[in-house]
């Protein structure tokens, strides 16, 4: 696997805004949106913006790395669905999520059936 080519060279934890930090990194042909913190009504605009930036790069694979997410509210889940819709059929989307709170929230509403989900970003990238 190639080393990441960050379009935002800072680690997401370096710039938390309203409890959420997001970074967009290129990994070969794939783009990873790395998310850390709480994903709720107040913070989803930051994810939406980063996902839009990632999709403008027209990657064949977009990985939403939620391994740093500690809370996933309904607005965050709606944001994931919006990213799926914006990506269309040309971009494969995979999630990386390990926190049981996040994984369980996705299972309860059926998002685990909509997105291939992996325990780590590396596994999501390799599929």
């Amino acid at each position: 696997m190639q080393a990441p080519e960050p379009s935002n060279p800072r680690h997401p934890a370096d710039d938390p805004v309203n409890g959420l930090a997001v970074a967009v990194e290129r990994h070969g042909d794939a783009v990873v949106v790395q998310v850390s913190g709480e994903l709720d009504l107040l913070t989803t605009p930051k994810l939406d913006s980063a996902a839009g930036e990632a999709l403008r790069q027209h990657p064949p694979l977009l990985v939403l790395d939620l391994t740093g997410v500690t809370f996933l509210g309904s607005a965050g889940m709606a944001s994931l669905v919006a990213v799926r819709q914006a990506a269309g059929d040309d971009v494969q989307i995979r999630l990386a999520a390990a926190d049981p709170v996040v994984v369980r929230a996705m299972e309860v509403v059926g998002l685990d059936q909509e997105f291939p989900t992996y325990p780590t970003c590396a596994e999501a990238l390799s599929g």
Side-chain angles (χ1 to χ4, degrees), residues 6 17 32-33 62 75 79 93 96:
V17 174
V32 174
V33 176
L62 174 63
S79 183
I93 297 180

Side-chain angles (χ1 to χ4, degrees), residues 50-126:
E53 174 188 336
L55 290 173
R56 283 189 291 280
Q57 296 180 40
H58 305 289
L61 173 63
L62 174 63
V63 173
L64 300 175
D65 181 359
L66 307 179
T67 56
V69 172
T70 56
F71 175 79
L72 180 61
S74 60
M77 290 184 253
S79 183
L80 296 176
V81 171
V83 171
R84 152 69 53 228
Q85 291 171 340
D89 294 331
D90 295 334
V91 179
Q92 182 180 14
I93 297 180
R94 298 180 189 157
L95 302 182
D99 189 310
V101 172
V102 172
V103 172
R104 181 68 181 136
M106 291 182 358
E107 289 172 348
V108 167
V109 299
L111 284 182
D112 62 321
Q113 302 300 310
E114 297 296 319
F115 295 96
T117 304
Y118 300 83
T120 67
C121 184
E123 289 175 90
L125 283 166
S126 65

Side-chain angles (χ1 to χ4, degrees), residues 8-24:
N8 177 358
R10 296 176 358 184
H11 187 276
D14 294 340
D15 187 27
V17 174
N18 295 326
L20 187 77
V22 179
V24 176

Side-chain angles (χ1 to χ4, degrees), residues 1-5 26-30 125:
M1 184 163 83
Q2 287 182 300
E5 302 164 18
R26 189 132 189 120
H27 290 258
D29 289 339
L125 283 166

